[in-house]
Amino acid sequence: MSLCYAYYPGCSGLGTSLEYDISTRALCRNLGIELVDIPDWNCCGSTPAHAVDHLLSACLVGRNLGIADDMAEARELDGIITPCPSCLKNLKTTQYRLADPEFHRKVELVVGRPLRADLPIKSVLQVVVEDLGLQALAQLVKAPLAGLKVVPYYGCIMVRPPRIMQFDDPENPMALDNLLTELGAEVLPFPLKTDCCGASLGTTRKDVIAKLSGRILDAAEEAGADAIVTACPLCQMNLDMRQSQINKANHSGHNMPVFYYSQLAGLAAGQGETSTMLDKLCVSPRPLLAALAGHTGEGA
Amino acid sequence: MSSSPKAFDTEFIAEVQRESEQNLALCYQCGNCTAGCPVSFAYDYPVNQIMRLVQTGRKQEALSSHAIWLCASCETCTTRCPNDIDVARVMDVLRHMARRENIVSEKAVGAFWKAFLESVEKHGRVFELGLMANYVGKTGRMFTDVDLAPMALRKGKLGLKAHDIKKLAEIRGIFDRYREQK
């Protein structure tokens, strides 16, 4: 089976989550999933757009959906995919609301073109787990992550609201759990797997982040995890880049690496630094990986 | 506000219903939304009380609440509502209305969203460093995240250059036509 998707990278992939974008592209390449970037894509507006106006949000998304329509004219596509849950929710919410003819007409007027917007829209995680299947992933694993104890952290909106996202269980998703198990890691039960990290309040209300992301870090440590694994750029930034701020606010001493699942897939596939980009993580995973390598007697 | 606020503003109830496409009468105050809400600790009104303020037409209290600006859009309330009310969408609509009436109880949040959308309009994509500079300019919060800047720059996580899209005119057109529609 050969899969080809229109790829929507999202803005953070150009900056704060560069390592997520690069390791995701590498993972897809290894799995034989062809990604064609949506040419000249624009920002979906993220939370600020839908918090300010639903029409504006849908129109920013609509331009990208329109370009994807054109791509599907030129060649067969299996759908649109993105690594970022926030972009995903905006893409899927817009598609859902465009089913209303009156709203559809308004959006077309503002975007300035007709829109079909009928391609399936999924996260990269969903495509890997559902469309391709974990067996395909198992074939990539050359250096299983044996001895690595992780908690899977999905964030809120990868699976919520279920009516829109149509992926896994909204309260106890297992996609990431199963994927990490396939990579050879020891996946610990994590009751906070869909709890909120504080999202975009990081800049404006640090007290909220210290409390919510702090609780996730505390629980991960209590569970005995070596690391947290996430699929969301904003969650990753709050837990990793802001970990020092959180420690200061909460008088805690966390030193917990926060990986993207795609980075761990690259590690398990025996890939080097160019695609895993472990150096981009603020809390260094080096001591952890060195300890693991020492334990198993394998090179990191 | 031109006149004194009405105690029971039926027009407000109808407006929230229309814009959110939700039947607010279905809320029977079970409290499930509040039980799941992660930001309740920072709210002035928990989310079930916001729903009640809307049901009882208390426009002024609802729109001037801090809660509507602190909602993280995590969708837990919507997911768990036993009556299928899209509570997060109601929170969105209350923010839209508050903004239109120039009531922004969490100034920093309002300024951040504004700076974010200005970045999108200017570049077609978010330029993170420019966004932060604009936000600092709007709020005077000079020391916001200044502790993170050296790390972010060293890691190459804060691009020094914007990644403008090619067809910026299309984005400007979308913003212009959107404003005309309003």
Side-chain angles (χ1 to χ4, degrees):
Chain A
M1 182 172 55
S2 166
L3 295 169
C4 178
Y5 285 93
Y7 183 63
Y8 184 77
C11 300
S12 64
L14 298 168
T16 45
S17 72
L18 195 65
E19 69 274 36
Y20 191 25
D21 183 58
I22 300 224
S23 55
T24 296
R25 289 175 191 273
L27 174 63
C28 290
R29 193 163 51 242
N30 288 341
L31 290 170
I33 302 169
E34 188 182 348
L35 302 180
V36 186
D37 282 31
I38 295 180
D40 209 37
W41 58 272
N42 60 272
C43 174
C44 70
S46 194
T47 302
H50 74 70
V52 163
D53 195 289
H54 287 155
L55 178 63
L56 176 64
S57 174
C59 293
L60 289 172
V61 173
R63 179 174 175 271
N64 297 311
L65 291 177
I67 303 173
D69 280 349
D70 295 343
M71 293 168 73
E73 296 269 311
R75 65 171 296 177
E76 204 172 308
L77 288 176
D78 291 289
I80 302 172
I81 58 174
T82 178
C84 171
S86 178
C87 301
L88 179 71
K89 191 182 115 184
N90 280 336
L91 284 162
K92 289 187 75 95
T93 302
T94 299
Q95 187 177 51
Y96 183 83
R97 289 190 183 152
L98 284 175
D100 172 0
E102 169 72 14
F103 189 68
H104 197 128
R105 194 187 54 80
K106 266 195 200 171
V107 173
E108 284 182 339
L109 265 175
V110 174
V111 177
R113 58 163 291 162
L115 295 171
R116 281 199 317 279
D118 55 358
L119 287 166
I121 301 168
K122 293 176 181 180
S123 69
V124 176
L125 179 66
Q126 185 174 13
V127 167
V128 170
V129 173
E130 288 183 355
D131 296 4
L132 209 74
L134 290 175
Q135 307 85 327
L137 192 74
Q139 288 169 9
L140 286 188
V141 178
K142 308 219 164 34
L145 306 171
L148 182 65
K149 285 188 254 177
V150 296
V151 287
Y153 178 58
Y154 297 74
C156 308
I157 53 177
M158 182 66 97
V159 290
R160 295 204 286 236
R163 187 185 307 160
I164 305 273
M165 302 312 273
Q166 307 270 328
F167 174 45
D168 213 328
D169 185 300
E171 298 293 355
N172 185 27
M174 288 301 289
L176 200 50
D177 295 62
N178 296 337
L179 181 145
L180 292 165
T181 303
E182 203 65 58
L183 298 178
E186 185 183 340
V187 182
L188 305 167
F190 194 47
L192 273 60
K193 58 167 76 165
T194 60
D195 277 28
C196 181
C197 67
S200 62
L201 291 166
T203 306
T204 49
R205 286 288 299 257
K206 295 203 190 320
D207 55 324
V208 173
I209 300 289
K211 177 133 179 168
L212 298 181
S213 284
R215 189 164 65 187
I216 289 159
L217 288 163
D218 292 347
E221 195 156 308
E222 287 280 317
D226 301 321
I228 298 173
V229 187
T230 183
C232 172
L234 191 51
C235 299
Q236 201 279 344
M237 183 164 84
N238 283 337
L239 293 169
D240 178 40
M241 197 190 283
R242 296 190 183 283
Q243 201 171 119
S244 53
Q245 289 180 335
I246 294 163
N247 277 335
K248 206 167 156 194
N250 296 351
H251 308 290
S252 55
H254 296 299
N255 187 32
M256 173 85 63
V258 186
F259 294 102
Y260 289 105
Y261 77 90
S262 47
Q263 289 180 298
L264 287 186
L267 263 186
Q271 282 175 349
E273 289 289 325
T274 44
S275 62
T276 52
M277 300 191 99
L278 297 174
D279 273 347
K280 292 281 176 194
L281 302 181
C282 296
V283 176
S284 172
R286 300 284 171 207
L288 168 64
L289 296 174
L292 271 181
H295 186 68
T296 57
E298 290 167 15
Chain B
M1 313 259 6
S2 49
S3 55
S4 63
K6 292 182 216 159
F8 184 77
D9 191 333
T10 50
E11 211 174 291
F12 168 65
I13 304 171
E15 201 179 339
V16 178
Q17 295 228 139
R18 192 174 58 247
E19 287 195 27
S20 68
E21 299 176 8
Q22 303 302 305
N23 181 356
L24 300 164
L26 289 175
C27 173
Y28 50 37
Q29 288 290 312
C30 71
N32 231 353
C33 50
T34 297
C37 176
V39 206
S40 255
F41 74 93
Y43 283 7
D44 42 3
Y45 297 97
V47 59
N48 70 296
Q49 283 185 21
I50 295 281
M51 292 296 287
R52 191 70 188 138
L53 285 174
V54 181
Q55 278 183 326
T56 52
R58 306 265 288 269
K59 180 177 180 176
Q60 192 60 30
E61 283 107 316
L63 296 192
S64 57
S65 71
H66 288 255
I68 59 174
W69 298 94
L70 295 175
C71 158
S73 299
C74 76
E75 304 282 351
T76 309
C77 50
T78 295
T79 302
R80 294 182 184 170
C81 175
N83 292 338
D84 265 339
I85 303 172
D86 191 341
V87 183
R89 188 167 178 190
V90 173
M91 294 295 269
D92 252 356
V93 164
L94 293 174
R95 295 189 268 246
H96 303 167
M97 294 170 75
R99 227 179 113 266
R100 290 204 295 268
E101 308 234 349
N102 282 320
I103 311 168
V104 183
S105 294
E106 287 283 326
K107 297 274 181 279
V109 175
F112 183 73
W113 289 347
K114 193 159 186 284
F116 189 101
L117 291 175
E118 282 171 6
S119 188
V120 177
E121 185 168 2
K122 193 168 169 194
H123 304 288
R125 291 174 190 164
V126 166
F127 171 40
E128 289 163 325
L129 197 63
L131 161 64
M132 290 313 291
N134 186 353
Y135 170 74
V136 168
K138 280 184 169 40
T139 57
R141 289 189 167 202
M142 205 65 82
F143 296 102
T144 295
D145 288 335
V146 81
D147 52 330
L148 297 181
M151 166 75 92
L153 287 168
R154 193 168 68 245
K155 296 273 174 194
K157 287 199 160 213
L158 265 185
L160 297 172
K161 252 181 65 210
H163 297 267
D164 288 15
I165 66 167
K166 290 194 202 87
K167 294 178 180 165
L168 271 175
E170 292 187 7
I171 290 295
R172 307 267 160 81
I174 286 173
F175 274 90
D176 289 347
R177 286 188 294 274
Y178 154 73
R179 288 191 188 103
E180 283 162 22
Q181 283 262 316
K182 284 281 126 185

